[in-house]
Amino acid sequence: MLERPEVARGTNFGDVRGIIMLLPLEAQPAPGKTAPANISVGVPKRPAVIVGADADGLGIARCLGKAGVPVILVDTDARRPAMHSRYVSPVLVKALTGPALIEGLLGLRSRIDHRPLLFLTADPQVRAISEQRERLAGAFYIRLPEQRCIRQLLHKLGFQHFAERHGFPVPRAVGVSDKNDFVKFAELQFPAVIKPGNKELYFGDKAPRAQRVWSREEAVAACQVILREARDLIVQEWIEGRESDIYFCLQYRGENGLTVSSFVGRKLRCWPPQTGSTAACTAAPEVESELRHLTKAFFDKAQMVGMCSMEFKRDQRTGKFFMIEPTVGRTDWQEEVAAINGVNIPLDAYCYEAGIPLPVGDRHSHSVRWIYPPSYFRSVARSALRAGFLRRRRLPALRTQNPCWSSDDLVPSAIFLLEWLRKLRSPVRWREFLCQRGQVSSPAPVCGTQCSLEPAEPQPASPESAALDTRSPHGTLHI
């Protein structure tokens, strides 16, 4: 049984049973919406469990819920907007990683009649589920590669070595764990970018997400500061280009690496500008063939299955695409952009694993832009600080959709709005609105190099490096 979770003070949610609404689960499409023709609506179906109620979790819930799939959304905070979506049955757990997540999922499973499909939204969840796959065997359906594949591809240097070994295009990079590694900088051309090898170092405030350096001397000085707290860094050559030169290929891969669903898009804005997550993106049909082929070739070699994606950056000088980082075992932050452009990857994954014929695709003739408003408007405000910048950099006139607003799911939208209004009442929040989080504790000022609008570096990844045996069979985890 799930234990009663701890709810923040001042929040009146009543009995937790008012939040946990699990049974019976019926597949009911939203009013005015029609489910895909080959999904029978009104019949109890295998539920989908989504771990993480961030904006991407909400987007996935809508991708599935609008097609009539019963959705359970798992998080630690009942106040999060996604937990109040009409498409989900919310469930509280004590943690979204580690043993507490496993206990919470097993407790949830005891309340469900049908074995559900599991969707993950963050790297720590992937690690926790993968490491406990034997304990969770038989509880959920999820398709994951073998553990050593996850460990290597979630670690920046592990991914770098694997890509170099198999001849895939990646920027040159070196690993740094102490000052003796500084001699490796002679192998690089500057400018470069410093990143933590393990993403948790960033979330633990031990290392910057990414810090651009212009010379070997600057790289040495920056690494000396960061190494005091984080002894797992990678220094990678900078690929010249703007934020709109960053592309991605989202995929779901089935048995033996079969490409079940695939979508290629490009970023339009990031936040923070040089180094952050997607603030705006859209479809990129003009490069779909090339990037889909590169992504498939890489994941075939890695023997990847399940949810995955690859991020690319195109060098403005040569037009060549470089692989920047993979996403493994989980959905991407901007996964919903594929669905709003006619490729519903979460629904395709659900149908494939449930043995239901895949819905007929409906690729739009005109691309739809996905934006995340908090990051998007911060990016626009930063751009406005540079004289004439907005006139030089207008985004294409596209129809826009975002996860924070849905006309048929208004409660999360109202909660998002109230949160933003509350935050913007604080002068400190206004500074945060315009200046991103500091890169590293050093004598250099935070704003200046940090607040200049430069080409964006894509998101980091995580865990320890481990040897990937490409001769091993595909790992399928049905837990």
Side-chain angles (χ1 to χ4, degrees):
M1 296 291 292
L2 290 175
E3 298 182 12
R4 182 186 178 98
E6 194 70 30
V7 180
R9 291 195 188 106
T11 306
N12 182 18
F13 292 106
D15 194 298
V16 73
R17 288 174 296 180
I19 301 171
I20 301 178
M21 302 171 291
L22 295 181
L23 299 176
L25 285 168
E26 296 285 337
Q28 297 293 342
K33 301 288 181 179
T34 57
N38 36 21
I39 294 185
S40 57
V41 179
V43 179
K45 295 187 181 67
R46 192 181 306 280
V49 173
I50 302 170
V51 181
D54 211 333
D56 52 340
L58 176 58
I60 300 162
R62 288 171 176 160
C63 287
L64 296 170
K66 289 181 179 182
V69 176
V71 177
I72 300 170
L73 186 59
V74 174
D75 202 89
T76 58
D77 188 354
R79 298 170 299 178
R80 306 197 76 180
M83 297 291 273
H84 299 269
S85 170
R86 67 181 303 164
Y87 297 108
V88 309
S89 297
V91 172
L92 297 181
V93 294
K94 291 183 176 180
L96 293 180
T97 186
L101 172 61
I102 306 303
E103 294 295 337
L105 289 176
L106 289 175
L108 169 62
R109 178 64 183 91
S110 68
R111 304 277 300 277
I112 305 173
D113 291 336
H114 300 282
R115 187 177 173 194
L117 276 78
L118 188 62
F119 290 85
L120 308 177
T121 60
D123 291 342
Q125 301 164 15
V126 176
R127 288 197 296 274
I129 298 299
S130 180
E131 290 168 0
Q132 297 292 324
R133 58 180 70 200
E134 292 183 2
R135 184 181 176 193
L136 293 169
F140 294 87
Y141 285 103
I142 183 172
R143 194 174 293 275
L144 289 176
E146 293 200 356
Q147 175 74 347
R148 58 179 168 269
C149 174
I150 289 176
R151 285 178 174 170
Q152 180 157 28
L153 297 188
L154 285 182
H155 191 273
K156 285 196 171 295
L157 196 57
F159 161 67
Q160 181 79 22
H161 289 163
F162 180 81
E164 290 176 344
R165 187 161 64 248
H166 295 285
F168 292 101
V170 288
R172 282 181 294 187
V174 297
V176 178
S177 58
D178 57 48
K179 63 181 181 181
N180 295 325
D181 291 323
F182 293 166
V183 295
K184 299 178 183 177
F185 294 166
E187 305 171 18
L188 303 178
Q189 292 184 354
F190 288 85
V193 61
I194 303 170
K195 307 175 188 177
N198 188 327
K199 196 173 186 178
E200 290 185 359
L201 294 173
Y202 165 70
F203 289 112
D205 291 320
K206 296 182 181 297
R209 183 186 187 117
Q211 180 168 347
R212 193 176 182 186
V213 289
W214 297 89
S215 66
R216 179 178 177 179
E217 294 72 24
E218 191 176 345
V220 168
C223 286
Q224 285 177 332
V225 175
I226 302 171
L227 286 172
R228 297 171 190 167
E229 297 288 337
R231 305 184 71 83
D232 180 11
L233 304 177
I234 183 171
V235 181
Q236 184 183 72
E237 290 184 357
W238 181 264
I239 302 301
E240 293 298 335
R242 302 178 68 89
E243 294 167 347
S244 56
D245 289 310
I246 301 174
Y247 293 75
F248 51 88
C249 181
L250 311 175
Q251 290 192 342
Y252 188 78
R253 293 167 58 88
E255 192 71 30
N256 299 318
L258 170 71
T259 303
V260 175
S261 191
S262 184
F263 173 83
V264 173
R266 68 184 301 183
K267 298 189 180 185
L268 301 173
R269 285 186 179 271
C270 301
W271 184 264
Q274 299 181 32
T275 61
S277 300
T278 307
C281 62
T282 190
E286 69 279 4
V287 295
E288 182 169 3
S289 177
E290 179 179 1
L291 296 191
R292 178 174 176 169
H293 172 76
L294 273 173
T295 302
K296 183 180 185 304
F298 179 90
F299 286 133
D300 282 349
K301 185 65 68 173
Q303 299 194 336
M304 178 68 204
V305 294
M307 282 289 181
C308 56
S309 70
M310 181 64 71
E311 191 166 83
F312 299 85
K313 190 170 185 181
R314 181 162 59 183
D315 192 322
Q316 274 190 339
R317 299 162 300 185
T318 65
K320 181 180 178 180
F321 283 102
F322 289 88
M323 293 179 170
I324 301 300
E325 68 170 358
T327 297
V328 177
R330 64 173 176 87
T331 57
D332 213 299
W333 168 249
Q334 67 267 21
E335 194 83 28
E336 191 181 17
V337 69
I340 65 176
N341 281 282
V343 184
N344 194 332
I345 296 178
L347 182 60
D348 289 345
Y350 176 92
C351 292
Y352 176 83
E353 299 297 349
I356 302 170
L358 268 61
V360 178
D362 183 22
R363 295 296 292 263
H364 302 328
S365 57
H366 299 288
S367 297
V368 181
R369 179 173 58 205
W370 179 94
I371 69 168
Y372 181 60
S375 300
Y376 176 76
F377 290 116
R378 293 173 84 178
S379 174
V380 171
R382 175 70 62 78
S383 300
L385 297 178
R386 301 187 67 186
F389 186 83
L390 290 177
R391 291 193 296 273
R392 298 197 306 271
R393 186 188 179 221
R394 291 178 179 174
L395 292 182
L398 302 174
R399 186 162 63 88
T400 298
Q401 190 165 325
N402 73 81
C404 302
W405 169 259
S406 177
S407 60
D408 62 357
D409 195 20
L410 293 176
V411 176
S413 306
I415 297 174
F416 273 118
L417 179 60
L418 290 174
E419 284 185 351
W420 300 336
L421 293 176
R422 178 178 57 81
K423 290 177 180 179
L424 291 178
R425 290 175 59 188
S426 167
V428 174
R429 291 288 185 178
W430 276 103
R431 175 174 173 79
E432 291 178 357
F433 184 84
L434 296 177
C435 292
Q436 71 261 34
R437 177 178 173 181
Q439 289 183 331
V440 65
S441 300
S442 68
V446 173
C447 290
T449 59
Q450 163 119 353
C451 290
S452 62
L453 194 57
E454 296 290 344
E457 186 65 28
Q459 323 176 148
S462 10
E464 315 82 41
S465 177
L468 179 61
D469 182 1
T470 59
R471 296 170 297 175
S472 62
H474 290 284
T476 300
L477 173 60
H478 281 172
I479 62 175

